Every structure is written in C-alpha cells, then in structure tokens.
Amino acid sequence: MNIDEIKVFLNKLINAGLDEGFEQAEGVFEYNTGMAVNIFEHEVSSFENNVGQSAVFCGKLDKQMGSASTSIIEDASINYLVKEAMDNIKVKDDEDEDFFYCDKDNSNLYYDGYSEASSKNNYDSFKRVGLELESAILASDERIKSVDYLEISYSKDARVSVNTLGLTSVREYDSISVCAEAKCEQDGVVKTGAYLWFGNDIIIRSPYF
C-alpha cells in the first residue's frame, strides 16, 4: 500500500469508529523493514531480513480510551478493530484521561527522513564493510585478540496517523546502526570493549570507524 491508500484506509477506520459510537477516534499505520548482517571470524555468521506492518485503532468514549491492533491491513479488518476497541473500553476504568492531539494550524504534517544513501544499504555492502571493520579492529592493536560481536543493521520505517480532530501525520525515516565488541588481553588480564554507531550512510562513514 502507498501513503494515499493508507490514508484512505485510516479514514474509513476512524469513520467506522464514529458510527460505532465513539466520540473521537484515531487510526495509525506503521510499516518497518529491516536487515542485519553479523560478522564472526572473518565470515558472515548470520543474516536477517524482515518486514512488518500493523494498524492500530484508538477510540474515546466517556473519557475512556480503548484500542486494538492487527497486522492484516484490509477493509475486512476495520470492523474487527472497532469492535475490539469497544470491548476493551468496557472493562477499563482509568482515572487519568487520555487525549488525541491536533494543532489546527499544523494539522497536515509530513516528515521525509529517508536518506539518499538508502539504495546502498544491502547485503553486499554490509558484508564488505563488516569484514573490513573486523580486520581493522584486529589490526589496530596487538592486544586485541578477537572481535566477539559485530553487527550492522538497517531499518526503514513509516508511520501514518489520522484522527477525527483533523490530524494527518506522515513520518518516514531510515537508519543504520553498527555495534562491535572486541576482547583485549595484556599481562593475563582480559577485558572487553564495545562501540555503537548510528547514522545513515555507512559507506561514507566506514573508513573512520
């Protein structure tokens, strides 16, 4: 589904919530795709690639908030989400009231955090950088005996929110993380050290690890 199709789905969802009797409603769609490459002893020890999505409905009635979620994004899920949220609200008795948000002067929000380097984030580039990084760590000091953990991971996310107060919010972003842990030994004393880096373009950054 593209962003416009998601907005259509969420508007159907919140309107179904109003028809069910909720005073206010909000629908949220989240999408995530991720990849992780682990390096150990000069080879790729594991590789993960995953995709996930979910839709969440929240409805407010008599100062109480009910919610429900599903990973199945289709019109047939709308009735399920609304009914589950209504059943949820019937058993709640929260003293603190929750609120939906919308700034009337900024009700249509869009944030594009996708980096231009995202096309380079693939298995081959992560494998190459990971193997180079492992070798560089081992060569940096003779006291370093092993690199016990090295992972390069990538995440690409999107979040779309629509509510009955008039809010439409779209946020898209991606990120890379690198985590390495090495073992150092001197005079019979063994210690470990770790390093964690976050960014967007590992190809530019890699020579400076």
Side-chain angles (χ1 to χ4, degrees), residues 32-99:
N32 169 270
T33 179
M35 177 181 65
V37 175
N38 287 74
I39 304 295
F40 184 67
E41 293 184 345
H42 311 294
E43 64 181 17
V44 175
S45 59
S46 67
F47 170 67
E48 295 182 8
N49 199 359
N50 58 76
V51 176
Q53 64 178 16
S54 66
V56 179
F57 172 79
C58 294
K60 187 174 181 180
L61 179 64
D62 296 330
K63 298 183 179 181
Q64 299 292 313
M65 193 85 75
S67 63
S69 64
T70 182
S71 60
I72 303 173
I73 316 300
E74 56 186 37
D75 286 350
S77 301
I78 291 176
N79 185 61
Y80 163 80
L81 288 169
V82 172
K83 295 291 186 183
E84 284 292 306
M86 184 61 78
D87 289 342
N88 176 242
I89 213 170
K90 290 176 181 177
V91 298
K92 295 185 70 174
D93 187 21
D94 293 338
E95 295 182 0
D96 297 325
E97 184 178 359
D98 292 320
F99 298 91

Side-chain angles (χ1 to χ4, degrees), residues 18 22-26 57-61 99-100 164-165:
L18 295 180
F22 286 105
E23 298 162 355
Q24 297 177 5
E26 181 170 86
F57 172 79
C58 294
K60 187 174 181 180
L61 179 64
F99 298 91
F100 293 126
T164 52
L165 299 180

